[in-house]
């Protein structure tokens, strides 16, 4: 079975500080991993994806994530938080078969001015 | 030029009613999905259609019935609405993988907030 766990349902950072959102996955085979962002009252937007090409993945808006197989992690980072980064962030895993995604429970990011 | 659109954006109705939510994508994708997001933001897939054919049908009450008239549309019909059906419903689409190891990101619509009173 495959799943993702997002540690910390709420994260608060100061503007300009490092953003670190944690995601650990569970999969019996090499997974595909995604980070999506959901702004208030909007749908989900893809931030970045890992599909085994490179372990460090760069996404939109300055976000990046590193796939660490030994730690079964795919944490999302951004060096300097901006007020516009305040949103809900979802980690998702898929095996590829049927393109079925399994989403984590989400992490709400608050940026303090 | 909205990629994935849903109507209506908000839907307020009473228990026992029947309602439909429509979804259209203009991305040329073969696969479409319905997700339910509850009040705690948890996202769960409900259905997936590939080229008008149902390929994923998670444990969902049979009061929920998806209908795909063509590969650009996937509508969700809900009979006998219950309080617990209140949620945000998201439609999504993606290209269809030709091989098991292929994977394509899903593109989401803006959501339909359903409130059952």
């Amino acid at each position: 079975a495959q799943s993702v766990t997002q540690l910390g349902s709420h994260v608060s950072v100061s503007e300009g500080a490092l953003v670190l959102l944690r995601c650990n996955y569970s999969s019996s085979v090499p997974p595909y991993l995604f980070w999506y962002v959901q702004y208030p009252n909007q749908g989900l937007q893809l931030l970045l994806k890992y599909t085994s090409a490179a372990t460090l993945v760069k996404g939109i808006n300055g976000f990046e994530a590193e796939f660490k197989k030994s730690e079964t992690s795919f944490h999302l980072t951004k060096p300097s938080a901006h007020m516009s980064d305040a949103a809900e962030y979802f980690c998702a895993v898929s095996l590829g078969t049927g393109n079925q995604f399994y989403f984590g429970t989400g992490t709400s990011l608050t940026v303090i001015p | 030029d909205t990629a994935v659109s849903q109507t209506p954006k908000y839907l307020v109705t009473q228990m026992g009613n029947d309602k439909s939510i429509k979804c259209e994508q203009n991305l040329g994708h073969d696969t479409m999905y319905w997700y339910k997001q509850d009040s705690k933001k948890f996202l769960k897939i409900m259905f997936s259609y590939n080229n008008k054919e149902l390929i994923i049908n998670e444990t969902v009450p049979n009061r929920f019935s998806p209908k795909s008239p063509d590969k650009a549309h996937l509508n969700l019909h809900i009979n006998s609405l219950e309080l617990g059906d209140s949620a945000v419903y998201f439609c999504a689409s993606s290209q269809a993988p030709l091989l098991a190891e292929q994977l394509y990101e899903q593109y989401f619509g803006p959501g339909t907030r359903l409130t059952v009173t």
Side-chain angles (χ1 to χ4, degrees), chain A residues 8-85:
Chain A
S9 57
H10 293 88
V11 171
S12 292
V13 299
S14 298
E15 191 175 14
L18 171 71
V19 176
L20 171 60
L21 304 182
R22 299 177 187 275
C23 174
N24 287 86
Y25 69 90
S26 169
S27 175
S28 54
V29 298
Y32 296 101
L33 294 158
F34 301 79
W35 275 99
Y36 279 83
V37 61
Q38 184 181 25
Y39 297 105
N41 298 314
Q42 294 187 27
L44 278 73
Q45 179 183 357
L46 181 71
L47 271 178
L48 49 80
K49 64 181 179 182
Y50 167 76
T51 56
S52 76
T55 56
L56 182 62
V57 181
K58 293 187 184 300
I60 62 171
N61 302 338
F63 284 93
E64 62 181 37
E66 186 171 9
F67 174 73
K68 292 186 177 180
K69 185 178 179 180
S70 61
E71 298 177 8
T72 61
S73 68
F74 190 58
H75 301 331
L76 182 71
T77 60
K78 182 174 179 177
S80 177
H82 192 272
M83 296 298 294
S84 61
D85 294 328

Side-chain angles (χ1 to χ4, degrees), chain A residues 36-46 90 103, chain B residues 1-10 21-27 29 31-37 43 72 74 88-94 105-113:
Chain A
Y36 279 83
V37 61
Q38 184 181 25
Y39 297 105
N41 298 314
Q42 294 187 27
L44 278 73
Q45 179 183 357
L46 181 71
F90 292 92
F103 283 86
Chain B
D1 59 345
T2 305
V4 183
S5 59
Q6 296 178 228
T7 54
K9 190 170 175 63
Y10 299 96
I21 306 172
K22 295 185 176 182
C23 177
E24 177 181 1
Q25 54 94 5
N26 61 7
L27 298 167
H29 290 163
T31 306
M32 297 184 71
Y33 314 79
W34 276 109
Y35 287 86
K36 179 181 180 181
Q37 186 177 47
L43 259 174
L74 181 63
V88 181
Y89 291 84
F90 286 100
C91 177
S93 73
S94 73
E105 60 266 31
Q106 296 182 12
Y107 292 80
F108 284 76
T112 295
R113 182 174 295 277

Side-chain angles (χ1 to χ4, degrees), chain B:
Chain B
D1 59 345
T2 305
V4 183
S5 59
Q6 296 178 228
T7 54
K9 190 170 175 63
Y10 299 96
L11 183 55
V12 181
T13 188
Q14 292 183 325
M15 285 176 57
N17 285 347
D18 303 338
K19 290 293 179 185
S20 291
I21 306 172
K22 295 185 176 182
C23 177
E24 177 181 1
Q25 54 94 5
N26 61 7
L27 298 167
H29 290 163
D30 289 314
T31 306
M32 297 184 71
Y33 314 79
W34 276 109
Y35 287 86
K36 179 181 180 181
Q37 186 177 47
D38 62 23
S39 58
K40 295 184 179 179
K41 300 282 188 179
F42 181 62
L43 259 174
K44 189 176 189 310
I45 190 162
M46 301 173 69
F47 302 102
S48 171
Y49 265 73
N50 183 23
N51 222 354
K52 302 197 302 175
E53 182 180 337
L54 181 66
I55 58 172
I56 294 174
N57 183 1
E58 291 293 308
T59 306
V60 175
N62 57 15
R63 298 181 294 104
F64 290 79
S65 54
K67 286 186 172 52
S68 182
D70 56 61
K71 73 174 192 177
H73 296 84
L74 181 63
N75 304 324
L76 183 65
H77 189 75
I78 315 170
N79 289 326
S80 303
L81 278 155
E82 300 178 357
L83 292 176
D85 297 332
S86 295
V88 181
Y89 291 84
F90 286 100
C91 177
S93 73
S94 73
Q95 289 178 266
L98 297 177
L99 302 172
E101 61 270 23
Q102 285 182 320
L103 188 73
Y104 297 103
E105 60 266 31
Q106 296 182 12
Y107 292 80
F108 284 76
T112 295
R113 182 174 295 277
L114 172 65
T115 304
V116 183
T117 61

